[in-house]
Amino acid sequence: MPERSRSPRRSYEGVALVAPVSVPYKRHSDKPAHWWIGKALKSLADRTGLSPADFDGLCASSFTLAPDTAVGLTQHFGIGPRWLDHIPMGGASGLVALRRAARAVQSGDAEIVACVAGDSNSQGSFGDLVSDFSRFAQDAAFPYGAAGPNMSFALLTRAYMRKYGATREDFGRLCIAQRENARQFPNALMKSPLTMDDYLGARVIAEPLHLFDCVMPCAGAEGFAVMREDAARALNLPYARLLSAIERHNAFPDDDIQLRGGWAVDRDELWSAAGVSPGDADFLQTYDDYPVISMMQIEDLGFCRKGEAKDFVRSHSLTAHGTFPHNTSGGQLSVGQAGAAGGYLGLVEAVRQLTGEALGAQVEKAQIGVVSGFGMINFDRGLCSAAAVLAAGEAND
Amino acid sequence: MSAAMREFAQRAGAGGLVMQACAACGAIEWPPRDVCRRCWSDSLQWTPVNAAGVVIATTMLHASMEDFFRARLPWRVGTIRLAAGQVAYAHLHRALAEGDAARIEAHLDFKGRGVLVALPVDAGEIDQRLSELTSTTEG
């Protein structure tokens, strides 16, 4: 188990998240990732009233940008930023981008950072992405049935169910509540009502995973901008504040199988730095590539004890107007997984909720929101975990 | 396939189980790599290791991206804790369940990939699918 850092972290005081943008998803797209990311940037410029040259920082994430990286995007989009980052962390990308960008604007290395993620999804490209995902996956995971991440998640879901007594109905509760949220979210690809019978009766993919446990790969893009609070106020932009944020990579390497993530290492620091506790959160956006991962985040972030997420989802209503609003846009399970943009979806939705700009269901009087990310099944487990506590900006009170 | 994995594949199918052992600290590595995960030494040597393991989790795959498996669904795989120390995926004999002891063998699959196969400790019935996995050649 990794040693916890004992060095005190400086606060994220004065950092503002503004202009949550989404480029509506498409199941398949022949347009390259550059187009999707460019559309997100244009939306950011339109929303903030800024011109391309005003963004002096750029942070990008994508699985389908090859052979380019964020470097190539500067020339493609004709900008000359003085701060540039490329975050290849899948479902943790949005939160890690936020952490990097926040320090950049605090230190003065950049004033306005555009954080964007986007991916294309042409017919058949998902198989290439999965079979070439990482060296360890190519060598020692993919050959075992060529099922991609479904195999790894089937095995850890099975182990989680056996250890903690969670049932398919528990996962179903989570998926059904998210579908209810998605029915009001304009960008969701899946909006038809989902019943428990639909969920339980769906086609089996990799036991115990069935169709509605798996996200639908699609094309799309998400983004937001990071700047100082005073800059956001000067631009008259509603904003969210960053109270605290954590990340951790390759936590618990000696566990037989992944039943917990890096949040369990760092959550005390997350809450103490934020100065709030789990009960203060008005909503939670988890990374939901599979429902078991959302259950792990609910536990490892401290919303309930380990192994008790099953009881938590049985005793709460998880819709945007429920007792525990969770994945209020519908999450990836209902909106779709647009590659690395899936690692932005919850964060962008959180900023919308805290600035009163929800596209779908608005959580009433949302003041404190928690966002969690998870990424990169390099071999047998997700290596990247991240989380942030956000608060509504003062101007929105 | 990485160069280290090619070296594993060259040693697969000869019976027993051979993995990289760190000459500096003794750690057994899986998946094959270039530098020891414990001490960062690059002195990794292919060594016969204990072929025992315990089944941690199992699944039946009902979808696959490769024709060989598609023709033989559902396909059984699992997570194994090796007595040698590491966790690995393996093709599973149909008789194996969670908690069972297993004997791990290295084989070449239908594409010439080096793969681990988990078998019951007591030689049971032959699992026809596993025989096809290691005897079929697709080139």
Side-chain angles (χ1 to χ4, degrees):
Chain A
M1 171 170 157
E3 285 284 316
R4 228 174 91 195
S5 166
R6 300 291 167 197
S7 62
R9 302 189 196 204
R10 290 173 56 184
S11 87
Y12 289 101
E13 197 172 0
V15 171
L17 292 84
V18 308
V21 300
S22 304
V23 183
Y25 294 4
K26 284 199 162 37
R27 175 74 176 97
H28 290 109
S29 171
D30 291 327
K31 293 191 163 64
H34 304 67
W35 182 88
W36 288 94
I37 291 172
K39 285 287 281 183
L41 285 172
K42 177 71 164 77
S43 295
L44 271 182
D46 291 346
R47 285 289 308 276
T48 55
L50 296 167
S51 67
D54 293 324
F55 294 91
D56 61 349
L58 174 67
C59 184
S61 294
S62 179
F63 285 109
T64 52
L65 205 52
D68 286 353
T69 68
V71 177
L73 294 182
T74 64
Q75 196 164 39
H76 199 117
F77 299 138
I79 54 173
R82 57 178 173 149
W83 183 95
L84 181 67
D85 207 346
H86 186 108
I87 310 276
M89 300 187 195
S93 294
L95 288 156
V96 173
L98 169 60
R99 281 167 51 84
R100 306 286 186 273
R103 293 313 191 195
V105 301
Q106 277 186 320
S107 67
D109 281 353
E111 278 192 55
I112 298 172
V113 179
C115 296
V116 286
D119 269 296
S120 189
N121 186 43
S122 56
Q123 296 272 2
S125 64
F126 186 70
D128 298 338
L129 176 66
V130 165
S131 58
D132 296 338
F133 193 72
S134 67
R135 170 174 158 176
F136 283 177
Q138 283 174 339
D139 282 356
F142 192 77
Y144 298 89
N150 286 334
M151 174 185 72
S152 302
F153 285 97
L155 289 164
L156 69 87
T157 299
R158 166 109 172 151
Y160 180 93
M161 292 170 79
R162 279 168 54 86
K163 173 142 186 182
Y164 298 121
T167 64
R168 285 196 62 217
E169 284 84 352
D170 296 325
F171 300 132
R173 282 184 183 90
L174 205 133
C175 296
I176 289 164
Q178 289 191 202
R179 181 61 59 87
E180 200 57 36
N181 290 336
R183 296 186 65 199
Q184 298 178 63
F185 189 73
N187 295 346
L189 291 182
M190 285 151 282
K191 289 189 199 179
S192 51
L194 182 67
T195 68
M196 188 59 88
D197 284 346
D198 296 335
Y199 173 85
L200 293 173
R203 176 163 66 88
V204 60
I205 304 293
E207 297 171 26
L209 301 179
H210 294 61
L211 186 64
F212 296 114
D213 295 308
C214 306
V215 294
M216 179 188 281
C218 64
E222 303 273 340
F224 57 89
V226 177
M227 60 183 68
R228 291 189 314 276
E229 271 185 83
D230 55 4
R233 280 196 290 268
L235 290 166
N236 205 23
L237 293 169
Y239 65 94
R241 292 180 293 134
L242 177 57
L243 299 186
S244 68
I246 53 167
E247 69 181 85
R248 179 66 59 177
H249 307 281
N250 194 25
F252 309 119
D254 296 325
D255 286 2
D256 280 339
I257 193 164
Q258 186 161 41
L259 300 176
R260 56 183 174 170
W263 315 280
V265 180
D266 302 292
R267 63 150 181 260
D268 291 348
E269 216 177 337
L270 176 75
W271 293 112
S272 67
V276 300
S277 60
D280 296 320
D282 295 308
F283 62 80
L284 171 66
Q285 316 287 350
T286 63
Y287 188 78
D288 60 329
D289 49 356
Y290 298 83
V292 70
I293 300 300
S294 292
M295 304 255 286
M296 269 185 218
Q297 287 159 86
I298 289 169
E299 294 164 356
D300 294 349
L301 287 167
F303 289 95
C304 67
R305 283 185 295 191
K306 193 66 200 171
E308 295 184 359
K310 64 180 193 298
D311 308 299
F312 191 88
V313 303
R314 289 170 196 170
S315 61
H316 280 93
S317 49
L318 303 169
T319 59
H321 303 302
T323 57
F324 187 78
H326 174 249
N327 288 358
T328 48
S329 67
Q332 298 180 91
L333 286 165
S334 280
V335 179
Q337 180 177 62
Y344 268 62
L345 182 69
L347 182 50
V348 168
E349 170 67 8
V351 177
R352 285 199 181 107
Q353 290 289 346
L354 292 169
T355 53
E357 303 170 285
L359 299 179
Q362 174 73 48
V363 176
E364 274 181 57
K365 297 179 187 148
Q367 291 296 306
I368 303 283
V370 179
V371 188
S372 179
F374 172 80
M376 308 305 285
I377 307 290
N378 186 62
F379 168 43
D380 65 330
R381 60 196 70 197
L383 296 189
C384 310
S385 60
V389 181
L390 306 179
E394 281 156 30
N396 317 123
D397 289 350
Chain B
M1 200 188 299
S2 69
M5 194 64 200
R6 263 196 298 277
E7 290 180 23
F8 172 79
Q10 285 161 7
R11 290 163 174 81
L17 186 60
V18 173
M19 288 185 169
Q20 291 169 315
C22 176
C25 77
I28 306 296
E29 318 287 348
W30 187 263
R33 64 197 66 198
D34 302 307
V35 165
C36 174
R37 74 184 191 283
R38 293 261 186 254
C39 72
W40 297 353
S41 164
D42 67 347
S43 299
L44 303 181
Q45 294 165 354
W46 293 99
T47 312
V49 299
N50 188 340
V54 174
V55 180
I56 300 295
T58 68
T59 183
M60 280 284 204
L61 304 176
H62 291 256
S64 173
M65 291 174 231
E66 288 185 348
D67 291 340
F68 175 90
F69 297 112
R70 275 197 198 121
R72 293 164 178 83
L73 294 174
W75 188 263
R76 191 162 171 77
V77 295
T79 302
I80 307 291
R81 168 63 81 178
L82 300 166
Q86 277 295 63
V87 166
Y89 290 130
H91 296 289
L92 280 198
H93 188 284
R94 64 179 176 220
L96 286 173
E98 275 105 346
D100 286 354
R103 179 169 50 88
I104 314 302
E105 293 182 354
H107 288 277
L108 289 179
D109 77 358
F110 57 94
K111 279 191 163 178
R113 296 177 293 207
V115 293
L116 301 179
V117 175
L119 302 167
V121 175
D122 307 319
E125 282 179 62
I126 288 175
D127 186 329
Q128 186 60 31
R129 285 191 173 87
L130 289 182
S131 304
E132 291 172 9
L133 175 80
T134 56
S135 64
T136 307
T137 306
E138 284 189 0

